[in-house]
Amino acid sequence: MKSTHIRQILSQAITLGMVVSSALIIWKGLICITGSESPVVVVLSGSMEPGFKRGDLLFLYMNKDPIRTGQIVVFNDGRDIPIVHRVIEVHERRDSKEADILTKGDANDDDDRMLYASNRQWLQQKHIMGRAVWFLPYVGWFTIIMTEKPVIKYILVGALGLLVITSKG
Amino acid sequence: MHSFGYRLNGLLTFSVTILAIMCAIASLSDNLNTPSPSAEIQVMNINWFQKQPQGNDEVSLTMNISADLQTLFTWNTKQLFIFVAAEYETPKNSLNQVSLWDAIIPAKEHAKFWIHTSNKYRFVDQGNNLRGKEFNLTLHWHVMPKTGKMFADKIVLTGYSFPEEYR
């Protein structure tokens, strides 16, 4: 009796471990395929309305193609959260192919200069984490709720744990 | 096997899968569209053209922009984000792109338009290279779908140039 019980627990633990590692594999795979450190972002502010609303989900893609005006980019130049805005100015150096980049949210009147860290006047290619290429509305609300109301996260994890334990194989 | 938890799990998985497939089909249908946009931009006036205290050229101009972008709209299109950018090269920079004006077109009815406007955003060079320089004006459009793949394209109009002297 006891050894069967232990086997059951072990098998459930292994199943849980496999679910977690599958999720990790998918996530890391996405990072590789899209070339971006964060291949999926949730829109957190209303600065790109009416195109993107808070809670929308954006899929990013990054490659060595040069940044050009009009592209919707996600950038992080040393602040806590990445920002999704549109490129409105590009000045590309003839010699080094480095570029000075200026961004602005569609719904904002002013460009993002005030937002750039440490008195920076321009963004560089290295601050760009990806270009937004695909879009799903509303799906990101799940993440926002989980982040802003952690209680729900705990309830969900608890319920999932309960489901795994009470399942009979 | 028939507990409430299992049924709920099965239902949720099924509905999420169906929604994902519907979104993918909606986005794929955009590929069936063959757009034929057209645009024209006239520079009506160079309002002023000065060298700023920090040494950078700045210009203010008035443009007449007319375009017909109706064929870009599909049933999966939420809005069109359009902007006009000036493109030119300088000794230091192989490419400069400066956005001068932008607008959001929310529906097909508004996609055929005509507007007389001065540049919404400041046109400042990195340096003082603009006198007598030739530049292109490009009208870009960015199709933002209700769901799925976003795509963008542009029309390049050539033959514009700055005055030889500041004014």
Side-chain angles (χ1 to χ4, degrees), chain B residues 92-110:
Chain B
K92 195 169 76 158
N93 296 332
S94 53
L95 175 68
N96 298 282
Q97 290 181 318
V98 181
S99 196
L100 299 177
W101 172 88
D102 55 34
I104 289 176
I105 302 181
K108 195 169 179 172
E109 303 80 67
H110 303 122

Side-chain angles (χ1 to χ4, degrees), chain B residues 8 13 33 41 47 53 78 97 104 112 129 141 150:
Chain B
L8 189 64
T13 315
N33 188 36
I41 306 178
N47 306 328
K78 177 155 70 174
Q97 290 181 318
I104 289 176
K112 188 167 180 183
N129 308 291
W141 54 86
M150 299 184 283

Side-chain angles (χ1 to χ4, degrees), chain B residues 57-102:
Chain B
D57 280 352
E58 181 171 350
V59 66
S60 162
L61 38 80
T62 305
M63 301 171 284
N64 207 328
I65 306 167
S66 64
D68 182 357
L69 305 173
Q70 289 187 316
T71 53
L72 292 167
F73 273 85
T74 69
W75 66 284
N76 188 32
T77 305
K78 177 155 70 174
Q79 68 178 36
L80 224 56
F81 182 90
I82 61 173
F83 66 98
V84 170
E87 280 183 11
Y88 61 96
E89 49 154 18
T90 60
K92 195 169 76 158
N93 296 332
S94 53
L95 175 68
N96 298 282
Q97 290 181 318
V98 181
S99 196
L100 299 177
W101 172 88
D102 55 34

Side-chain angles (χ1 to χ4, degrees), chain B:
Chain B
M1 254 344 234
H2 298 294
S3 71
F4 175 73
Y6 270 108
R7 287 190 174 154
L8 189 64
N9 182 36
L11 186 71
L12 280 174
T13 315
F14 186 65
S15 40
V16 168
T17 315
I18 294 291
L19 273 173
I21 294 175
M22 281 170 66
C23 285
I25 294 177
S27 185
L28 277 173
S29 75
D30 280 342
N31 292 348
L32 300 173
N33 188 36
T34 45
S36 50
S38 62
E40 237 187 61
I41 306 178
Q42 280 172 298
V43 176
M44 304 302 290
N45 190 35
I46 304 281
N47 306 328
W48 48 265
F49 180 22
Q50 290 292 313
K51 180 165 155 177
Q52 300 300 343
Q54 338 91 320
N56 296 327
D57 280 352
E58 181 171 350
V59 66
S60 162
L61 38 80
T62 305
M63 301 171 284
N64 207 328
I65 306 167
S66 64
D68 182 357
L69 305 173
Q70 289 187 316
T71 53
L72 292 167
F73 273 85
T74 69
W75 66 284
N76 188 32
T77 305
K78 177 155 70 174
Q79 68 178 36
L80 224 56
F81 182 90
I82 61 173
F83 66 98
V84 170
E87 280 183 11
Y88 61 96
E89 49 154 18
T90 60
K92 195 169 76 158
N93 296 332
S94 53
L95 175 68
N96 298 282
Q97 290 181 318
V98 181
S99 196
L100 299 177
W101 172 88
D102 55 34
I104 289 176
I105 302 181
K108 195 169 179 172
E109 303 80 67
H110 303 122
K112 188 167 180 183
F113 67 92
W114 174 104
I115 184 172
H116 191 88
T117 178
S118 57
N119 47 313
K120 209 167 159 182
Y121 306 114
R122 297 177 63 181
F123 189 162
V124 182
D125 184 29
Q126 284 189 334
N128 54 342
N129 308 291
L130 297 187
R131 273 163 297 169
K133 180 159 286 295
E134 284 182 11
F135 64 99
N136 291 344
L137 284 176
T138 50
L139 178 69
H140 296 243
W141 54 86
H142 214 103
V143 182
M144 294 167 93
K146 298 203 172 95
T147 167
K149 189 173 190 315
M150 299 184 283
F151 55 100
D153 207 347
K154 62 184 180 185
I155 290 181
V156 180
L157 302 161
T158 58
Y160 306 91
S161 55
F162 293 104
E164 299 285 343
E165 296 296 324
Y166 293 130
R167 57 164 101 144

Side-chain angles (χ1 to χ4, degrees), chain A residues 38-66:
Chain A
S38 68
V40 181
V41 286
V42 177
V43 178
L44 294 172
S45 78
S47 56
M48 282 295 281
E49 293 205 13
F52 300 146
K53 296 195 162 49
R54 202 167 121 86
D56 290 341
L57 200 72
L58 289 178
F59 292 82
L60 307 185
Y61 182 70
M62 191 62 187
N63 58 17
K64 293 264 190 307
D65 284 353

Side-chain angles (χ1 to χ4, degrees), chain A residues 67-70 86-91 100-104 111 113 122, chain B residues 88 96-99 121-126:
Chain A
I67 304 284
R68 293 282 176 256
T69 45
R86 198 182 293 270
V87 175
I88 61 166
E89 257 186 60
V90 171
H91 298 275
D100 285 340
I101 297 163
L102 184 62
T103 57
K104 177 177 107 56
D111 57 43
R113 271 212 175 101
W122 306 95
Chain B
Y88 61 96
N96 298 282
Q97 290 181 318
V98 181
S99 196
Y121 306 114
R122 297 177 63 181
F123 189 162
V124 182
D125 184 29
Q126 284 189 334

